Structures are given as structure tokens and as C-alpha cells.
Amino acid sequence: MPPTTVPNTKETTASVRCTQKYAVAWPSSNASPLPSLTRFLTKVTQMTQLHTPKASRNQETGRLSFMRPVSPPGVRFRARGGEGGGTSHPVPCTFLTVPVPKKTARRSLMVTTAVLSSLALTAPLSYAAPGPSPSDSPSGSPSGSPSGSPSPGDSPSATPPARMSSVGGERLGQAGTQANLASGVPVLPKDLSARSWIVSDAESGDVLASHNAHWRLPPASTLKMLFADTVLPKFPKAEKHKVVPTDLAGIGAGSSLVGIKENETYTVHDLWLGVFLRSGNDAVHVLSQMNGGIDTTVKQMNAHAEELQALDTHVISPDGYDAPGQVSSAYDLTLFARSGLQKKDFREYCSTVSAKFPGQTTKAKKGKNKGRTTRESFEIQNTNRLLSGDSDVSVYPGIAGVKNGNTTNAGATFTGVAERGGKVLLVTVMNPEKTEHNEVYKETSKLFDWGFKAVGKVQPVGELVPPRGSARSSAQPGTGASGQAGGGENGGASSQASSKPVAGATAGGGSGGMGIALSIAGGVLVLLAGAAFLVNRRWPLPDLVRRRTRP
């Protein structure tokens, strides 16, 4: 058959795209399958896109990488103390799209494995043994927490429980510091005071080290990462909303605000800038009302947390404002960041240093412009000090977000993502005991420094589990007789094709060629089985942009 161009469609998986266009001769055919198989394998090696389940309009695929610094050459970060016009000069610009890097052998390997597996499963040569039934347990980890998900009555404990959730690995459920400090691995920073922290590889999901990773603590405004990951895909950026008094009702006393005014009109884009840069609870409340109300939004956030396997989290207020029973963990906050970074808009907002925000509309009372209305604007800056800098904290090299928080009960909390030398790390720090100014950022910087030195050398103590939907879907391509190829010990569900008998082969001249093709496919599968497990358990992250300044 003549070669056919594989369509570039994101919504179809690699295995489906190939098997639809490169059928290898069926038993009724007398044609040799080898030329077609050769073309098929050649085309497969050119494919690099991985299918990401439950893609939204904001979701992309590709490897996580960063642009070079995009701040204008004239920018100088000044000493900060509440004065001045910001950390950089406002320069008109727009978000850039980062080109996807070159193909990697790892992706080609996964696509090849998935397609060959699908080919073997659909070949009508023998009866396939039924695969195991789908499992709802978290992928690649023991299931859940011993005490289950937190309930509304749960309150943070004064000391870490002896046994916590084991999602992501048994060691993550143990109190204290967990790290494999073998020979050649750098020593952890000795002056860390945070009640909980975690360092992980954003792409592979490996947890490099942790301290009370599953301790349920008040999250403060870092919970806005879950809010954004839940609500952000629902509204176009250009949609406009006129604020009414009920939109701003119920905002807690002392909340951080971006300065939204009643009877003024804002775009959804404006509101998200207020959420990410100024951590504005007023912006969260307006978006929640647009989403059907506070109660509806809270229910959706709790449901999304469960889908992400963030079982330490219970949401009471969508903005993270202190509330009895509202808890999360360093592990869960890292899951929220990792999920949010799959979305283009999320990445752009959390990496923005400063922006112009609409102010109040005024009407001229005299002069030649009498009666004319004008809308003021003012600059807002990101309160993430590793991104914007401060008098005692420098901008961290390679930083690209994500979110900070600070309340009376939670103390200071922070989750950050940074890249160095082709490695991308996520660090979450919760409630340092030291009262030094910007301590949460200082301890985060130390953990980033350690992580970039240790990654590739230290053996992980656990993993960041993928969402439940992703775990089930990623187990289907490449499922073999054991029902675990591609998912390995992650124990995902087998595909329907593998659980149903396939029509038996007919004797004849065509069956010999098909047998050769399947023998080749089977041999390749055996050789690639171990590598397929390592690849499929990864949840790749897309490209990011570094420190963007918005006009």
C-alpha cells in the first residue's frame, strides 16, 4: 500500500493514529506484511507527541523548558519596601509561545511501544486472555491515606502524625525528613525550619526528598492554584463581567485585594491577573460568582482535588482564607502546581512579574473634556518574591512561578517551579518556624539549590502520582498479557480489547506473513517492556515562559 501521511490530531492517541493508517496485512491477504511494517516503523519513529488525557482548551503537550530571560536589558531590580513603581519598567509585550524542543528518543520509544502493543492486541490470530479489572487505587503508590480524605471537621495537628497518607509511596507517609543521602549525594541544608516541605522532579514525578510531605496544614493562598486549575478553563480570557455588590460579599477581613470596584467591568484576563499577581481574594470571589457561586466552586475544587489524588486537601474557601477544617499538604500543593502547569494560561499568569490593572472610571466635570469618561489603570506586581525579587531576596535563576500565601493560621506557604540545566524542579515549603523576613523564599531557594545538585544522583523517596483519569488512560496503550505493560507496577486498567477474545486465525498462505509481523512486534515489546514502564509513568509538562511583564 502507498505511504499515507499521519494526521496531526491531538485528540487521537499515537496508537490509534498509526494503526488506522498502517494496517499490517490480515490473514485473508496473501501480501507480505514486511514492506508495510517497515514503512509503519519508520513513520512511528518520527512521532513525538504524547497523548495527555482530559485535555482542555488551555492544555498542551510537549517537554517542559524555558526561554532565556525576557526582561528588557535596562531593567534593574531596586530595593523594595513598599515604595517605587515596581520591579521593572512597564514594557508593552505579549506572551510568547515557546517552540517545542527537538524530538527525544524517550518519546519515540513510548510511541513505538504503544503502537506495537495496539497492533498485537487487535491481530485476529488467537484468543486473548482477559486482563485484570480496572483498579481505582492511586497509580504507582499504595492506596490513599490510612484515615481517608480529610473531613470538614478535621483540624491541623500540632505535631505531624506518626502515620500519614501513603499516596506516592510509603516513605512519604512517615514523619520527619525522608532522603536517600548515599555517597555522592549532596547534604541537605541544615537550617530548614519549615513544618513541611517537598522537592520533586516536575517531569518524571520523582520525589527527591521531603519532610512531613503529607502533613495536613492550612494552605493559605497557595490553594488558589487548585482554584485556578479548576476554574480557569471555563471562561475565555476576553469575556467581560460587570461587578455587582453580591460578587464581593463574604470576603474575609484582612484579605489581600487587587482593588476590584463595584459597577466596573473587567475581562476574565484582568481577573486572573488579580488572582495570580496580587493574590486578590476579591478577584477569586468575582470569578467564583461567575462560576455559579462560592458553594459550587468549592464543590468543584474538592472534586478536582480528588481526581488529582490530592487526598490531604479539604476546601472550605476558594481563596485559601483561613477556615476551620480547611487543610492541604506540601504533597497536594505540588500536585496542584504540576496539574496547573499543563495549561498554557496558567503558566503565563503565574510567570508574570507585573501588569496594568483597570482602575476606576471617572467623568470629567469641567474643561474641554467635560462629561467624558476615562478609565484609570495602575501597575500590579507579583507577590512571589523569587519571581519579582525583594530587598533581601534575589530573583531565583530559572524561576517561573508558581504561588505564595500567608495567613495567621497557615503562616507563609509557597510552591515554586524552576529550571536549570535541562532539569525542572517543583519545591513546596509550608510554614517556616523562623520569623525572619521572607524566610519561606529563602528556604525554598536552598531546597532548589540542593535539588539541582542532587537530581540524577539521589534515589527518589516517592513519586507524584498522576490524576486518576490519566493513570487509567496511560495504562491502556501497550497493555500486555499481565495487564501492566506501560503501567508496570502502577497497576492501571487494561484496555477493553485485551479483555475480549479475538477471532482465531485462519490457516492459509496469508497467516505466515502475519505471524512474522507479530513475532517482530512481540520481540520488540519484550525488549522495550522495562523502558515502557519508565516512560509511561511520566506525566510530561509543556513549555513554559520565564518572567513575563504584561502591559
Side-chain angles (χ1 to χ4, degrees):
M1 57 179 287
T4 308
T5 302
V6 178
N8 183 17
T9 306
K10 290 185 178 179
E11 288 75 10
T12 54
T13 63
S15 59
V16 172
R17 289 188 294 190
C18 282
T19 53
Q20 285 178 340
K21 293 295 181 181
Y22 290 87
V24 182
W26 298 101
S28 59
S29 172
N30 291 324
S32 171
L34 294 180
S36 178
L37 181 61
T38 301
R39 292 193 302 271
F40 153 75
L41 290 174
T42 301
K43 198 68 180 179
V44 163
T45 58
Q46 300 173 358
M47 302 177 64
T48 60
Q49 282 285 356
L50 292 178
H51 171 65
T52 303
K54 302 186 71 174
S56 70
R57 68 175 185 86
N58 286 310
Q59 195 156 342
E60 297 178 339
T61 56
R63 189 185 181 278
L64 181 68
S65 61
F66 294 85
M67 295 174 57
R68 295 183 179 276
V70 294
S71 298
V75 170
R76 292 293 184 270
F77 292 100
R78 302 185 298 273
R80 297 157 180 85
E83 298 181 359
T87 58
S88 61
H89 304 295
V91 177
C93 63
T94 58
F95 292 135
L96 301 181
T97 300
V98 184
V100 176
K102 294 182 179 180
K103 304 176 178 69
T104 63
R106 183 175 68 248
R107 290 181 181 169
S108 297
L109 179 63
M110 170 152 181
V111 175
T112 304
T113 305
V115 176
L116 291 176
S117 302
S118 177
L119 208 70
L121 288 173
T122 56
L125 286 178
S126 61
Y127 287 92
S133 60
S135 170
D136 289 331
S137 61
S139 173
S141 67
S143 59
S145 165
S147 58
S149 299
S151 64
D154 285 346
S155 295
S157 57
T159 58
R163 289 292 301 166
M164 295 172 279
S165 169
S166 58
V167 171
E170 288 289 343
R171 292 189 62 178
L172 299 182
Q174 299 175 14
T177 301
Q178 307 299 321
N180 293 319
L181 299 180
S183 176
V185 177
V187 178
L188 284 165
K190 296 181 180 180
D191 51 351
L192 301 175
S193 67
R195 303 178 80 187
S196 175
W197 53 261
I198 186 171
V199 181
S200 56
D201 186 315
E203 290 193 297
S204 70
D206 289 338
V207 176
L208 307 184
S210 69
H211 180 77
N212 302 325
H214 280 292
W215 191 1
R216 294 168 180 167
L217 297 169
S221 287
T222 47
L223 194 63
K224 289 183 174 77
M225 293 187 294
L226 175 60
F227 170 75
D229 195 37
T230 303
V231 179
L232 196 150
K234 297 177 181 291
F235 303 103
K237 291 199 288 188
E239 182 175 335
K240 295 182 179 181
H241 177 78
K242 185 175 182 179
V243 176
V244 297
T246 55
D247 290 344
L248 301 176
I251 297 177
S255 289
S256 55
L257 305 172
V258 68
I260 291 176
K261 304 296 182 182
E262 295 178 6
N263 301 317
E264 294 286 1
T265 299
Y266 300 86
T267 64
V268 168
H269 173 68
D270 295 330
L271 296 173
W272 283 119
L273 286 173
V275 171
F276 279 92
L277 273 66
R278 293 301 303 170
S279 199
N281 290 2
D282 47 357
V284 171
H285 276 248
V286 173
L287 286 164
S288 295
Q289 293 299 334
M290 293 175 63
N291 190 46
I294 299 295
D295 292 342
T296 297
T297 301
V298 167
K299 289 179 181 178
Q300 292 175 358
M301 290 173 66
N302 280 318
H304 189 46
E306 185 174 352
E307 173 66 20
L308 294 176
Q309 304 197 58
L311 305 182
D312 300 324
T313 297
H314 185 79
V315 182
I316 302 295
S317 60
D319 50 19
Y321 191 83
D322 286 335
Q326 179 157 274
V327 291
S328 190
S329 67
Y331 184 89
D332 284 10
L333 294 175
T334 304
L335 292 182
F336 301 152
R338 194 180 188 216
S339 177
L341 290 169
Q342 300 287 323
K343 299 176 175 63
K344 180 176 182 290
D345 289 348
F346 187 105
R347 301 194 302 274
E348 292 172 339
Y349 287 127
C350 78
S351 63
T352 300
V353 176
S354 64
K356 293 293 185 180
F357 193 81
Q360 198 164 5
T361 300
T362 58
K363 181 182 290 187
K365 296 181 179 180
K366 57 183 178 179
K368 62 179 181 180
N369 294 327
K370 183 179 180 180
R372 180 178 300 178
T373 59
T374 58
R375 184 86 179 266
E376 301 173 351
S377 65
F378 55 93
E379 185 182 81
I380 58 175
Q381 298 176 13
N382 202 311
T383 55
N384 172 0
R385 296 308 180 194
L386 291 190
L387 187 71
S388 60
D390 205 349
S391 58
D392 57 343
V393 174
S394 299
V395 174
Y396 191 83
I399 192 69
V402 177
K403 190 71 187 76
N404 59 308
N406 198 322
T407 65
T408 302
N409 290 340
T413 59
F414 178 67
T415 297
V417 62
E419 183 268 350
R420 183 184 300 170
K423 297 294 184 180
V424 185
L425 299 185
L426 281 163
V427 173
T428 296
V429 174
M430 300 187 75
N431 196 0
E433 293 181 357
K434 290 183 179 179
T435 58
E436 188 175 341
H437 186 239
N438 284 327
E439 181 63 23
V440 71
Y441 301 109
K442 295 174 183 177
E443 296 194 13
T444 299
S445 295
K446 294 174 184 177
L447 288 170
F448 267 131
D449 289 342
W450 176 85
F452 285 121
K453 294 176 183 177
V455 65
K457 301 176 183 178
V458 65
Q459 289 296 316
V461 296
E463 68 170 346
L464 301 177
V465 294
R468 282 184 172 141
S470 174
R472 288 192 294 267
S473 178
S474 64
Q476 290 178 3
T479 302
S482 68
Q484 294 182 337
E489 63 185 21
N490 293 359
S494 61
S495 64
Q496 289 183 341
S498 66
S499 62
K500 295 180 180 181
V502 184
T506 58
S511 63
M514 193 61 194
I516 294 173
L518 288 178
S519 297
I520 295 173
V524 173
L525 282 175
V526 171
L527 293 174
L528 300 181
F533 160 65
L534 294 175
V535 171
N536 280 344
R537 85 183 189 91
R538 296 168 73 91
W539 192 32
L541 294 177
D543 302 322
L544 290 187
V545 292
R546 280 194 68 194
R547 300 184 288 119
R548 293 304 294 168
T549 301
R550 292 289 295 181

